């Protein structure tokens, strides 16, 4: 791929529109669109090659979600790698291959990198608050358990920086991240 080809690929993507839309998503507060979010969860499972969940359980907050999960007798295996991490890695690798190392770095800086610090600061504050409330400390076995539960959650809004890095079509994100994008846009 020539430098000109890389520039054409990069320029064909409207960075500002994507960053603006995902910044709004990352900072959104309010009620979830449960129908759309549940459709996104089911789509993400299908896209990952998994059977759709029989039920989507809603929680009013990350704290309540951790409490619900900790109370489960048999929570089942984590699907984080299959549903979220592996699709992200494949899409990132696809763009890295298409754009090259410098092109990917420029693309990330122009998209997700612009949202990363502010979104991570919010995620870290929420995580710290949940840990303080449920465990009372930031270290130890109970804190590690809560961290893993929070890590496994597809919370939606914290995925905004990554979603900003991948081209969107009219509305839902096309391709293998479409289910995750629908959750992020709709989970509240």
């Amino acid at each position: 791929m020539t430098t000109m080809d890389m520039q054409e690929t990069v320029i064909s993507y409207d960075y500002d529109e994507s960053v603006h839309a995902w910044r709004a998503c990352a900072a959104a507060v309010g009620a979830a669109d449960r129908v759309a979010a549940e459709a996104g969860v089911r789509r993400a499972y299908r896209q990952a090659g998994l059977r759709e969940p029989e039920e989507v359980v809603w929680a009013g907050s990350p704290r309540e979600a951790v409490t619900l999960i900790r109370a489960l007798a048999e929570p089942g295996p984590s699907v984080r790698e299959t549903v979220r991490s592996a699709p992200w890695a494949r899409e990132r690798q696809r763009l890295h291959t298409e754009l090259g190392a410098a092109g990917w770095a420029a693309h990330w800086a122009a998209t997700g990198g612009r949202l990363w610090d502010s979104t991570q600061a919010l995620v870290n504050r929420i995580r710290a608050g949940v840990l303080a409330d449920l465990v009372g400390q930031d270290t130890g076995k109970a804190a590690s358990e809560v961290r893993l539960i929070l890590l496994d959650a597809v919370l939606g809004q914290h995925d905004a920086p990554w979603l900003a890095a991948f081209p969107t079509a009219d509305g839902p994100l096309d391709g293998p991240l479409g289910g995750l994008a629908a959750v992020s846009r709709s989970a509240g």
Side-chain angles (χ1 to χ4, degrees):
M1 170 179 286
T2 67
T3 302
M4 184 57 148
D5 291 335
M6 182 183 73
Q7 288 174 344
E8 288 174 8
T9 301
V10 172
I11 292 171
S12 69
Y13 182 61
D14 188 343
Y15 295 137
D16 290 333
E17 181 180 327
S18 179
V19 169
H20 176 73
W22 288 110
R23 178 176 282 124
C25 178
V29 295
D33 177 343
R34 289 185 176 202
V35 171
E38 288 185 19
V41 167
R42 286 175 169 66
R43 181 176 176 190
Y45 271 65
R46 285 192 312 271
Q47 288 176 310
L50 298 175
R51 193 179 87 228
E52 293 180 11
E54 294 175 19
E55 179 183 14
V56 176
V57 177
W58 284 88
S61 68
R63 180 197 184 285
E64 183 182 342
V66 169
T67 301
L68 288 169
I69 291 168
R70 289 172 95 188
L72 292 173
E74 294 184 38
S78 170
V79 296
R80 173 179 24 102
E81 179 63 29
T82 306
V83 172
R84 183 178 63 204
S85 300
W88 285 125
R90 284 190 298 272
E91 283 302 286
R92 182 190 171 282
Q93 184 58 50
R94 181 187 62 77
L95 272 181
H96 190 277
T97 299
E98 181 180 325
L99 301 174
W104 167 254
H107 179 78
W108 174 255
T111 58
R114 291 167 55 189
L115 302 177
W116 186 260
D117 290 340
S118 61
T119 304
Q120 287 307 305
L122 177 59
V123 168
N124 290 339
R125 285 178 34 208
I126 292 168
R127 182 182 303 116
V130 171
L131 283 167
D133 196 32
L134 293 179
V135 182
Q137 61 186 20
D138 199 21
T139 60
K141 183 179 178 182
S144 293
E145 177 187 302
V146 170
R147 272 199 184 83
L148 283 174
I149 291 170
L150 291 170
L151 181 62
D152 277 348
V154 176
L155 302 173
Q157 294 161 303
H158 78 279
D159 289 330
W162 282 108
L163 290 163
F166 301 101
T168 57
D170 301 327
L173 188 69
D174 289 337
L177 303 178
L180 294 173
V183 173
S184 188
R185 285 191 178 114
S186 307

